[in-house]
Structure formats: C-alpha cells, structure tokens
Amino acid sequence: MESLTLGPGVLDEIVEHAKSSYPMESCGLLVGQGGYAARLLPMENCLASKSEYEMDPGQLIRALRALRESGEELAAIYHSHPSSPAEPSKRDIARALYPDSAYLIVSLAEPLQPQVRAFRIAGGQADEIELHVIV
Ligand SMILES: [Zn+2]
C-alpha cells in the first residue's frame, strides 16, 4: 500500500476530533479495506498530552478485535499535532508499532488551514505516501 485514500467526510471528522481535543493531541484508527479508509474510530489519548499520544490500550484491543470480526482492516492510525507541523516526531517514529499501517498526521499549527500528511513508518524510518481525499 503506497497510498492512503480517505472516504467522504473522513477528513472533516479527523479535523473535528483534533479541534475538539485541542490543545491536547487526538488519536484514533482509520478502518476500511486495503488503503481505503471508510470511517474513523476515535480513541482516547491516555497520555492527555500536548506533544505525544498513546491510544488507550484496552480501547485499542477491543477495536482491533471488533475489526477482525467485521472483516474490516486497519488502514491507518491518525493523530494530531496541535502546534507543530504534520511531520512524525522522533517519538512517533520510535513508537510506530504497526509497519503495515499508514500513519496520518493532522496539524493545527495554522488553525484555519489544517495540514494533513500520511506516512509509512517502519524500521525507524518515515516515508511520506500519497494521500487522496474523496469528497
Ligand atoms: Zn506526533
């Protein structure tokens, strides 16, 4: 999967989640099939931090189990950067545990123009991938 496609409305919901969590980072899962994200599953950032995130482990395990049962796939993991650019931090790279998943970052550094980028993070390296948005 060298690209990530967001289905209708998904980007708006990611941005809304980021804004409602501000100034803390928001995070969650994008689920669908292959590189297509049909919907998001917002997760609790159990660090409640302005500069890092960790999805609530219990919530994450339940969500991944539900996906296995529904036949949906994890397309991407998203989180927000309330005041820094849409680039993976050192910690984002060090703690990227899902090499098969894309990582989407939304930046609110310019509140009126949220920036969104997608990456593949594996082996201590982040590579940007194409991001398509279906409106
Ligand atoms: Zn980050």
Side-chain angles (χ1 to χ4, degrees), residues 31-127:
V31 303
Q33 293 291 336
Y36 178 77
R39 63 190 179 96
L40 64 162
L41 294 174
M43 295 279 139
E44 201 67 42
N45 177 2
C46 62
L47 299 180
S49 163
K50 296 176 182 177
S51 59
E52 55 190 26
Y53 75 100
E54 188 169 304
M55 292 181 279
D56 179 86
Q59 203 182 10
L60 178 61
I61 287 167
R62 283 194 298 277
L64 293 175
R65 191 180 296 146
L67 287 189
R68 271 199 301 276
E69 284 165 10
S70 70
E72 287 174 293
E73 293 169 0
L74 176 62
I77 293 165
Y78 73 90
H79 74 284
S80 66
H81 283 177
S83 56
S84 60
E87 289 162 13
S89 67
K90 283 200 179 81
R91 188 181 193 278
D92 289 339
I93 293 172
R95 305 211 38 166
L97 302 176
Y98 298 90
D100 295 332
S101 167
Y103 284 83
L104 183 135
I105 302 176
V106 55
S107 166
L108 298 181
E110 293 180 60
L112 298 178
Q113 275 189 310
Q115 300 291 313
V116 187
R117 295 168 71 189
F119 301 85
R120 166 97 32 212
I121 306 177
Q125 190 177 325
D127 294 303

Side-chain angles (χ1 to χ4, degrees), residues 6-35:
L6 304 182
V10 172
L11 179 58
D12 288 342
E13 288 188 56
I14 293 168
V15 170
E16 274 313 306
H17 187 205
K19 287 181 174 172
S20 65
S21 303
Y22 188 91
M24 305 304 177
E25 290 199 5
S26 61
C27 57
L29 307 179
L30 299 177
V31 303
Q33 293 291 336

